[in-house]
Amino acid sequence: QLRLVESGGALVQPGGSLRLSCAASQTLRTIYVVAWYRQAPGKQRELVARLTKVGSTNYADSVKGRFTISRDNAKNTIYLQMNSLKPEDTAVYYCNVPGIGNDYWGQGTQVTVSS
């Protein structure tokens, strides 16, 4: 069974940058879609970014131009580069791999943007 482990969350000042990583327990080479979601307190989990195996991307309007999703198949790792962070980006960030019948999720990593 695929396991995902996120890391890289931290407390950062507005305008700062972070790179989140998601290490997969199995090769990503055969996985078509990888994604990052986030969930802020009192809010529903929302899609942040999505990347297909052929390089197609989708981003939430709120992060377009600031966040970049990428994958390194050789390292079995998914990344989320976050620049120009805002307080409203504060949330627990989860990586996701859609599966047949159920999706795979990591445990999440906390990102807090505050001065």
Side-chain angles (χ1 to χ4, degrees):
Q1 183 171 348
L2 178 65
R3 292 186 301 277
L4 303 171
V5 179
E6 301 96 334
S7 61
L11 170 64
V12 62
Q13 292 188 342
S17 297
L18 280 177
R19 188 177 80 159
L20 305 183
S21 300
C22 174
S25 62
Q26 300 174 13
T27 181
L28 293 178
R29 297 183 189 278
T30 59
I31 293 175
Y32 189 73
V33 174
V34 296
W36 285 94
Y37 285 73
R38 67 185 180 187
Q39 187 167 18
K43 295 188 176 181
Q44 289 188 333
R45 192 171 297 188
E46 65 173 353
L47 176 67
V48 176
R50 179 178 178 270
L51 171 65
T52 71
K53 187 178 180 180
V54 296
S56 298
T57 56
N58 297 97
Y59 292 95
D61 287 343
S62 59
V63 308
K64 282 180 181 177
R66 300 189 298 121
F67 290 13
T68 303
I69 186 172
S70 62
R71 59 196 287 175
D72 186 333
N73 289 339
K75 295 183 178 180
N76 296 336
T77 302
I78 307 158
Y79 300 101
L80 185 68
Q81 178 66 44
M82 305 186 296
N83 299 327
S84 302
L85 283 161
K86 304 176 181 180
E88 49 264 43
D89 294 319
T90 295
V92 178
Y93 285 71
Y94 300 89
C95 66
N96 166 268
V97 171
I100 299 175
N102 66 284
D103 286 2
Y104 297 96
W105 296 91
Q107 83 290 348
T109 186
Q110 176 71 47
V111 172
T112 302
V113 185
S114 175
S115 55

